[in-house]
Amino acid sequence: MTTAVTVAALALTVLLSGCVLYRSQIPVATTYEAEPQYKMQSAGHWQVLASDVADRILKAIEDRDDLLMKPLYLEPPNSRPFSLGFYKLLTSELVSRGMQVSLERESDVVDVDYDVLAVLHNDRMQRPPIGTFTTIGAGVSAARALNSMAEWIPAAIGAGVLADLAGGAITSSSNREVLISVSMSYNNRYVVHTSSVYYINDPDFEQFVDPEARGHYVQEFKARPVRVTAQ
């Protein structure tokens, strides 16, 4: 028994010393700490974003005396459902806060614009920790990881997560993300510029971007053979 313990201890010592002495010619890949990322799954989530953006724009205008009386002009949307819907939602949110929004471009307006960049990932692997669940915050789902059931139970009760679980609020990551940027500018200077990244359900991809639109779609391409025939 003593011999077996001694051998095990010696093996462990060698293993640990090997870890300490480990060298690599390139940096060793590691992962980030788990962070929540919102997942857009409904037009109601678009409205949450529009409301947040309108609040940012209102605050920025209130901080600038030279912009208080100037109308806002939103760039016309493209044909994608998100662009059309977000245009209407953001216009409603701005008007409801007492801001002027021009129907057409005028000589002296504050420009508001938004853009969507879609990203498709290939062969990603996600290992969710035990206790991962979904909460609903401000109408947008966010993933939160807890370390133990002792943490899970009070958090679930406090946030109403038990009801969410029963109601189907569980969500997951996907292979498709969108980066949504909204800006407000005046005299060739940014006054507001905010960007956020969201997961989206894979089938919803074309609601956000046209796959054929250059500059709005990023995909990890794989090399493939091309057959060449003699003319």
Side-chain angles (χ1 to χ4, degrees):
M1 186 70 174
T2 304
T3 303
V5 171
T6 302
V7 171
L10 180 60
L12 180 60
T13 301
V14 172
L15 178 62
L16 292 176
S17 63
C19 292
V20 173
L21 298 176
Y22 175 74
R23 296 290 187 270
S24 175
Q25 295 181 353
I26 61 174
V28 178
T30 187
T31 58
Y32 290 96
E33 294 184 4
E35 293 289 343
Q37 181 169 302
Y38 293 141
K39 185 174 185 180
M40 282 192 164
Q41 302 186 87
S42 74
H45 295 166
W46 304 354
Q47 185 167 23
V48 172
L49 177 60
S51 177
D52 178 68
V53 169
D55 285 340
R56 291 171 182 257
I57 290 176
L58 176 61
K59 183 180 185 306
I61 289 179
E62 290 177 339
D63 291 341
R64 291 276 301 267
D65 293 338
D66 58 326
L67 302 181
L68 284 175
M69 301 305 296
K70 297 188 183 301
L72 305 176
Y73 177 71
L74 275 67
E75 293 293 332
N78 59 41
S79 61
R80 296 292 95 184
F82 172 79
S83 184
L84 291 168
F86 189 69
Y87 177 87
K88 295 180 181 296
L89 290 167
L90 183 55
T91 299
S92 297
E93 294 290 341
L94 293 171
V95 172
S96 69
R97 287 162 174 76
M99 286 178 274
Q100 304 178 64
V101 179
S102 297
L103 296 176
E104 297 180 358
R105 177 175 292 281
E106 301 176 16
S107 59
D108 191 22
V109 295
V110 179
D111 287 299
V112 178
D113 194 12
Y114 55 92
D115 195 18
V116 178
L117 174 67
V119 181
L120 170 61
H121 300 281
N122 292 324
D123 302 326
R124 294 203 304 173
M125 180 173 58
Q126 176 74 4
R127 295 190 182 96
I130 296 175
T132 297
F133 64 91
T134 300
T135 61
I136 300 298
V140 181
S141 60
R144 178 182 177 186
L146 297 182
N147 295 324
S148 67
M149 287 298 291
E151 294 180 56
W152 187 90
I153 293 174
I157 295 174
V161 174
L162 293 179
D164 288 341
L165 291 174
I170 292 293
T171 190
S172 62
S173 59
S174 65
N175 287 326
R176 300 181 189 267
E177 297 176 287
V178 288
L179 188 159
I180 301 173
S181 297
V182 184
S183 64
M184 182 176 74
S185 60
Y186 181 69
N187 281 342
N188 201 38
R189 299 290 188 274
Y190 283 123
V191 181
V192 172
H193 196 290
T194 177
S195 299
S196 302
V197 179
Y198 303 93
Y199 284 121
I200 59 172
N201 292 319
D202 290 338
D204 295 342
F205 178 69
E206 292 188 12
Q207 293 183 3
F208 292 86
V209 297
D210 179 354
E212 303 300 325
R214 293 176 61 85
H216 294 274
Y217 177 47
V218 177
Q219 182 177 10
E220 300 171 0
F221 292 99
K222 293 183 177 180
R224 60 180 182 180
V226 177
R227 186 175 63 182
V228 179
T229 58
Q231 297 295 328

